[in-house]
Amino acid sequence: MAEIASSEPTRRDFLYIATGAVGAVGLGAAIWPFISQMNPDASTLALSTVEVDISQVAEGQSITVKWRGKPVFIRHRTAQEISEAKAVSLDQLIDPVARNENLPAEAPATDENRSAKGKEPWLVMIGICTHLGCVPLGQQGDYDGWFCPCHGSQYDSAGRVRHGPAPENMHIPAYEFISDTTVRIG
Ligand code: FES
């Protein structure tokens, strides 16, 4: 995992690549200029919202951005990962609630309610294990999703907990696509 951080001590946003996929280093190089172009006002604003250029995130890749001090996973899912997530019925889930800030609190954890509206391949969620707060590792585990090395929780390709002590699906923050290639989180 490569990590790229700003040289400016006051800048709090950073991102790192959370995938071993080929091209990850190039991806970081492509995205970093976008962040580094942010002016001071925008940098302050980044404490509440962050805009992310996802144009270079290829299918099968993920990036992690920092938002309000938390890691946010943005994953461009493959067709297989989507179909696996869709094939899961709600009664197979440990947590049947979507945990999606963009939907009513009781919305069920269908794949549709977990992925981006109108942009099914994209998953945007807070990368914090709901057990005790570790950051799960992507593209690992038995469900083509995430594995939390702290106590073994596993999440599927929709970020729903499927195994282990974590009580809830990873949470989805308020976000929207403000263009085909830009996501605003917060
Ligand atoms: Fe993730 Fe305990 S913090 S399983």
PDB file of all heavy atoms in Angstrom, residues 67 100-102 172-176 184-186:
ATOM      1  N   TRP A  67     -11.690  11.882   5.110  1.00  0.00           N
ATOM      2  CA  TRP A  67     -12.801  12.829   5.216  1.00  0.00           C
ATOM      3  C   TRP A  67     -13.188  12.956   6.689  1.00  0.00           C
ATOM      4  O   TRP A  67     -13.483  11.952   7.332  1.00  0.00           O
ATOM      5  CB  TRP A  67     -13.981  12.322   4.389  1.00  0.00           C
ATOM      6  CG  TRP A  67     -15.253  13.082   4.586  1.00  0.00           C
ATOM      7  CD1 TRP A  67     -15.535  14.346   4.176  1.00  0.00           C
ATOM      8  CD2 TRP A  67     -16.422  12.610   5.266  1.00  0.00           C
ATOM      9  NE1 TRP A  67     -16.807  14.687   4.554  1.00  0.00           N
ATOM     10  CE2 TRP A  67     -17.368  13.645   5.215  1.00  0.00           C
ATOM     11  CE3 TRP A  67     -16.751  11.404   5.888  1.00  0.00           C
ATOM     12  CZ2 TRP A  67     -18.631  13.510   5.786  1.00  0.00           C
ATOM     13  CZ3 TRP A  67     -17.996  11.273   6.465  1.00  0.00           C
ATOM     14  CH2 TRP A  67     -18.925  12.327   6.404  1.00  0.00           C
ATOM     15  N   ASN A 100     -27.019   3.659   5.403  1.00  0.00           N
ATOM     16  CA  ASN A 100     -26.690   4.597   4.330  1.00  0.00           C
ATOM     17  C   ASN A 100     -27.287   5.963   4.664  1.00  0.00           C
ATOM     18  O   ASN A 100     -28.508   6.118   4.699  1.00  0.00           O
ATOM     19  CB  ASN A 100     -27.248   4.058   3.003  1.00  0.00           C
ATOM     20  CG  ASN A 100     -26.848   4.901   1.817  1.00  0.00           C
ATOM     21  OD1 ASN A 100     -26.464   6.069   1.957  1.00  0.00           O
ATOM     22  ND2 ASN A 100     -26.929   4.327   0.632  1.00  0.00           N
ATOM     23  N   GLU A 101     -26.440   6.925   4.909  1.00  0.00           N
ATOM     24  CA  GLU A 101     -26.874   8.277   5.297  1.00  0.00           C
ATOM     25  C   GLU A 101     -27.776   8.926   4.258  1.00  0.00           C
ATOM     26  O   GLU A 101     -28.486   9.885   4.549  1.00  0.00           O
ATOM     27  CB  GLU A 101     -25.647   9.186   5.469  1.00  0.00           C
ATOM     28  CG  GLU A 101     -24.824   8.930   6.693  1.00  0.00           C
ATOM     29  CD  GLU A 101     -25.319   9.718   7.899  1.00  0.00           C
ATOM     30  OE1 GLU A 101     -25.620  10.914   7.735  1.00  0.00           O
ATOM     31  OE2 GLU A 101     -25.422   9.124   8.970  1.00  0.00           O
ATOM     32  N   ASN A 102     -27.718   8.423   3.047  1.00  0.00           N
ATOM     33  CA  ASN A 102     -28.487   9.017   1.962  1.00  0.00           C
ATOM     34  C   ASN A 102     -29.902   8.449   1.871  1.00  0.00           C
ATOM     35  O   ASN A 102     -30.685   8.865   1.023  1.00  0.00           O
ATOM     36  CB  ASN A 102     -27.751   8.788   0.630  1.00  0.00           C
ATOM     37  CG  ASN A 102     -26.315   9.269   0.713  1.00  0.00           C
ATOM     38  OD1 ASN A 102     -26.060  10.459   0.678  1.00  0.00           O
ATOM     39  ND2 ASN A 102     -25.368   8.338   0.868  1.00  0.00           N
ATOM     40  N   ILE A 172     -22.235   4.192   5.332  1.00  0.00           N
ATOM     41  CA  ILE A 172     -22.120   4.969   4.095  1.00  0.00           C
ATOM     42  C   ILE A 172     -22.409   6.434   4.411  1.00  0.00           C
ATOM     43  O   ILE A 172     -23.465   6.754   4.956  1.00  0.00           O
ATOM     44  CB  ILE A 172     -23.105   4.433   3.036  1.00  0.00           C
ATOM     45  CG1 ILE A 172     -22.689   2.998   2.669  1.00  0.00           C
ATOM     46  CG2 ILE A 172     -23.152   5.337   1.817  1.00  0.00           C
ATOM     47  CD1 ILE A 172     -23.601   2.308   1.707  1.00  0.00           C
ATOM     48  N   PRO A 173     -21.462   7.310   4.104  1.00  0.00           N
ATOM     49  CA  PRO A 173     -21.648   8.729   4.428  1.00  0.00           C
ATOM     50  C   PRO A 173     -22.557   9.415   3.405  1.00  0.00           C
ATOM     51  O   PRO A 173     -22.828   8.870   2.335  1.00  0.00           O
ATOM     52  CB  PRO A 173     -20.219   9.281   4.320  1.00  0.00           C
ATOM     53  CG  PRO A 173     -19.607   8.463   3.224  1.00  0.00           C
ATOM     54  CD  PRO A 173     -20.189   7.067   3.391  1.00  0.00           C
ATOM     55  N   ALA A 174     -22.981  10.608   3.734  1.00  0.00           N
ATOM     56  CA  ALA A 174     -23.687  11.420   2.739  1.00  0.00           C
ATOM     57  C   ALA A 174     -22.710  11.733   1.607  1.00  0.00           C
ATOM     58  O   ALA A 174     -21.569  12.126   1.858  1.00  0.00           O
ATOM     59  CB  ALA A 174     -24.185  12.709   3.381  1.00  0.00           C
ATOM     60  N   TYR A 175     -23.125  11.507   0.396  1.00  0.00           N
ATOM     61  CA  TYR A 175     -22.271  11.824  -0.744  1.00  0.00           C
ATOM     62  C   TYR A 175     -23.130  11.937  -1.980  1.00  0.00           C
ATOM     63  O   TYR A 175     -24.287  11.502  -1.990  1.00  0.00           O
ATOM     64  CB  TYR A 175     -21.179  10.750  -0.960  1.00  0.00           C
ATOM     65  CG  TYR A 175     -21.701   9.448  -1.517  1.00  0.00           C
ATOM     66  CD1 TYR A 175     -21.744   9.232  -2.894  1.00  0.00           C
ATOM     67  CD2 TYR A 175     -22.145   8.444  -0.673  1.00  0.00           C
ATOM     68  CE1 TYR A 175     -22.224   8.037  -3.409  1.00  0.00           C
ATOM     69  CE2 TYR A 175     -22.629   7.249  -1.183  1.00  0.00           C
ATOM     70  CZ  TYR A 175     -22.669   7.051  -2.549  1.00  0.00           C
ATOM     71  OH  TYR A 175     -23.154   5.878  -3.056  1.00  0.00           O
ATOM     72  N   GLU A 176     -22.577  12.530  -3.017  1.00  0.00           N
ATOM     73  CA  GLU A 176     -23.262  12.544  -4.302  1.00  0.00           C
ATOM     74  C   GLU A 176     -22.240  12.656  -5.422  1.00  0.00           C
ATOM     75  O   GLU A 176     -21.143  13.179  -5.225  1.00  0.00           O
ATOM     76  CB  GLU A 176     -24.260  13.698  -4.391  1.00  0.00           C
ATOM     77  CG  GLU A 176     -23.642  15.074  -4.314  1.00  0.00           C
ATOM     78  CD  GLU A 176     -24.677  16.169  -4.514  1.00  0.00           C
ATOM     79  OE1 GLU A 176     -25.638  15.963  -5.272  1.00  0.00           O
ATOM     80  OE2 GLU A 176     -24.515  17.242  -3.903  1.00  0.00           O
ATOM     81  N   ARG A 184     -18.626  14.008  -4.360  1.00  0.00           N
ATOM     82  CA  ARG A 184     -18.482  14.903  -3.219  1.00  0.00           C
ATOM     83  C   ARG A 184     -18.987  14.164  -1.974  1.00  0.00           C
ATOM     84  O   ARG A 184     -20.139  13.735  -1.925  1.00  0.00           O
ATOM     85  CB  ARG A 184     -19.267  16.193  -3.418  1.00  0.00           C
ATOM     86  CG  ARG A 184     -19.128  17.121  -2.177  1.00  0.00           C
ATOM     87  CD  ARG A 184     -19.551  18.542  -2.473  1.00  0.00           C
ATOM     88  NE  ARG A 184     -20.914  18.596  -2.960  1.00  0.00           N
ATOM     89  CZ  ARG A 184     -21.361  19.509  -3.823  1.00  0.00           C
ATOM     90  NH1 ARG A 184     -20.556  20.421  -4.312  1.00  0.00           N
ATOM     91  NH2 ARG A 184     -22.619  19.502  -4.214  1.00  0.00           N
ATOM     92  N   ILE A 185     -18.107  14.072  -1.005  1.00  0.00           N
ATOM     93  CA  ILE A 185     -18.439  13.378   0.242  1.00  0.00           C
ATOM     94  C   ILE A 185     -18.704  14.421   1.310  1.00  0.00           C
ATOM     95  O   ILE A 185     -17.914  15.348   1.496  1.00  0.00           O
ATOM     96  CB  ILE A 185     -17.289  12.454   0.677  1.00  0.00           C
ATOM     97  CG1 ILE A 185     -16.940  11.468  -0.447  1.00  0.00           C
ATOM     98  CG2 ILE A 185     -17.660  11.687   1.955  1.00  0.00           C
ATOM     99  CD1 ILE A 185     -15.636  10.729  -0.227  1.00  0.00           C
ATOM    100  N   GLY A 186     -19.808  14.282   2.008  1.00  0.00           N
ATOM    101  CA  GLY A 186     -20.140  15.206   3.086  1.00  0.00           C
ATOM    102  C   GLY A 186     -21.220  16.184   2.685  1.00  0.00           C
ATOM    103  O   GLY A 186     -21.664  16.212   1.554  1.00  0.00           O
TER     104      GLY A 186
END
